[in-house]
Amino acid sequence: MRVLAICNPVCGDASAVQFYETHVAPLLKEATVELDAPVLTTTHDGHAGQFVTQYTESVEGPFTVILASGDGTLHEIVQTLTNTPPKGVRASAPPARLSFVLLPCGTANALYSSLFPPQSEEDATSTDYKLSSLRAFLASGTTVPLTLALTTLSPPPRSHNPPRTAVSAVVASTSLHASILHDAEALRASVPGLERFKRAAAQNLARWYSASVTLFPAQATGRVELWDPAARRFAPHPQSTESDPLVDLSGPFAYFLSTANVDRLEPAFRITPHARDVPPKGPALDVVVLRPERDPSVEMDSREVREAFAEKAKAVLGGAYEDGAHTVLRYAEDGCVLTEGDGPLVVEYFRCGGWEWEPDDIDDRAHLVCADGEVFTIDKGGRATCAAVIPVDDKSGFAVFV
């Protein structure tokens, strides 16, 4: 199989090149693995995507990319390949599978830590742990295909702007998560590591987002499903029937996030824990939603009410760090958040085939959409529509060595 290698020298703690040269190159040499091109050390945004796309235009057949980076560089490659019109060999040859060997050198490494859950904080930083995907490749191990979340950003009617497509292999989100990623990018140079995300979260916790949502049924079940923590299973949503499987959600929203392939966004942050515990059949997204007006104590919208609800949102996000405990939180009659009882669930946890987000024109922040860390803006009067897709067979699409 043809093999390429790419290092992103600025992701995470900027250790990707050193990690590759010290730990990866010797193992490849020992296994007599030869690269089809010199190792690419990226120098600018889009470099990895351009490199891989140009390679597919001149070479036919499946290939492997050894990727020393974070989730963002994988997203860049998948996004570029998906959105670039085929030419050269790629235009005439049948689709070929791209399999990734992941070397977790980014900040959060969501995909890697979901495929290889660390046993401890120390485990997540060990060299042996970081070489798990490479060892699977060298042992001719198995690959798992990646589900993609394709988010189409549609302009308003009569607009001359064409639709745009954002491609995710990890997360597609709006609301708080998209705002955090938007603001964290501005802090990248001055605040290292995960701390910039925590600071951006503090800046945005009290925001609410005005939008309406439609959830689409998953292909395998024909329904939108809702997690039932008492039964510990997904069950059809009461609104999702055989004749009318769509589910409509009204805003405002505090949190709206969907994942593919992952149960966590950081090694310890299991935001959609049942993506691993109860894996979906076929293409599907796990969606976590937090809507303030489900809180019995919320009777009006004001700064004070939003700040009080922000403390509950903080409890939800804290629960994700406790092995996904946020999915069992319930409201008491007075709006207090409890870990038991039979009150309304604080978090709505759906499994579906996709979703449509239509933001209110006057809410600028509701127009932000995040796809694997890249933030897009919906045109005023437009909408975002996200759908889960999987490879048509084992010879196409994207996969990861596990």
Side-chain angles (χ1 to χ4, degrees), residues 99-364:
S99 299
F100 289 99
V101 173
L102 299 181
L103 303 170
C105 297
T107 302
N109 304 304
L111 182 56
Y112 191 90
S113 59
S114 294
L115 296 175
F116 302 95
Q119 300 304 306
S120 65
E121 188 174 340
E122 292 75 20
D123 184 33
T125 60
S126 72
T127 298
D128 279 348
Y129 170 76
K130 293 180 178 182
L131 293 173
S132 299
S133 184
L134 177 67
R135 294 193 192 281
F137 164 68
L138 295 177
S140 300
T142 59
T143 61
V144 294
L146 293 180
T147 296
L148 298 183
L150 303 183
T151 305
T152 301
L153 306 173
S154 301
R158 300 178 183 175
S159 171
H160 297 295
N161 296 327
R164 295 165 290 155
T165 300
V167 185
S168 310
V170 173
V171 60
S173 68
T174 64
S175 306
L176 176 61
H177 184 259
S179 280
I180 290 173
L181 270 293
H182 177 273
D183 292 355
E185 189 59 32
L187 298 171
R188 179 183 289 272
S190 58
V191 182
L194 293 174
E195 182 59 32
R196 62 190 171 97
F197 295 102
K198 295 176 181 178
R199 188 174 300 185
Q203 296 172 357
N204 288 284
L205 270 173
R207 291 186 187 273
W208 293 359
Y209 303 82
S210 298
S212 59
V213 167
T214 299
L215 301 178
F216 305 125
Q219 179 179 306
T221 62
R223 300 284 197 283
V224 172
E225 295 181 305
L226 184 66
W227 176 252
D228 181 344
R232 291 201 57 78
R233 66 183 179 92
F234 285 98
H237 190 281
Q239 292 179 22
S240 185
T241 64
E242 183 176 356
S243 59
D244 185 10
L246 305 183
V247 172
D248 294 321
L249 304 177
S250 58
F253 296 83
Y255 199 79
F256 184 92
L257 178 142
S258 63
T259 63
N261 307 300
V262 306
D263 65 339
R264 64 197 72 199
L265 299 184
E266 303 168 17
F269 187 73
R270 298 189 72 203
I271 191 65
T272 50
H274 307 304
R276 182 174 182 84
D277 302 342
V278 188
K281 298 177 181 178
L285 302 173
D286 278 21
V287 183
V288 170
V289 179
L290 186 58
R291 291 190 288 166
E293 291 184 353
R294 287 172 55 82
D295 181 344
S297 69
V298 173
E299 298 179 348
M300 59 180 292
D301 183 3
S302 69
R303 174 183 291 182
E304 292 74 20
V305 170
R306 292 191 181 202
E307 289 176 350
F309 188 80
E311 294 303 309
K312 299 174 185 180
K314 191 182 299 182
V316 168
L317 298 179
Y321 283 107
E322 298 173 4
D323 204 28
H326 59 295
T327 62
V328 303
L329 298 177
R330 293 183 180 271
Y331 288 115
E333 290 184 1
D334 62 358
C336 289
V337 175
L338 307 174
T339 57
E340 55 187 19
D342 57 3
L345 287 165
V346 177
V347 170
E348 297 170 282
Y349 185 165
F350 301 96
R351 179 163 288 168
C352 60
W355 47 263
E356 182 172 83
W357 172 275
E358 186 170 359
D360 190 317
D361 279 353
I362 64 172
D363 189 341
D364 289 342

Side-chain angles (χ1 to χ4, degrees), residues 38-109:
V39 177
L40 174 71
T41 300
T42 59
T43 60
H44 55 272
D45 288 345
H47 197 180
Q50 294 164 4
F51 175 69
V52 175
T53 300
Q54 289 171 1
Y55 179 81
T56 64
E57 293 169 353
S58 60
V59 177
E60 182 178 346
F63 65 106
T64 295
V65 172
I66 300 172
L67 190 60
S69 72
D71 299 303
T73 308
L74 183 142
H75 159 73
E76 177 189 301
I77 293 170
V78 173
Q79 167 103 353
T80 305
L81 281 171
T82 302
N83 285 334
T84 301
K87 62 181 182 179
V89 171
R90 187 167 173 239
S92 56
R97 170 157 290 190
L98 192 173
S99 299
F100 289 99
V101 173
L102 299 181
L103 303 170
C105 297
T107 302
N109 304 304

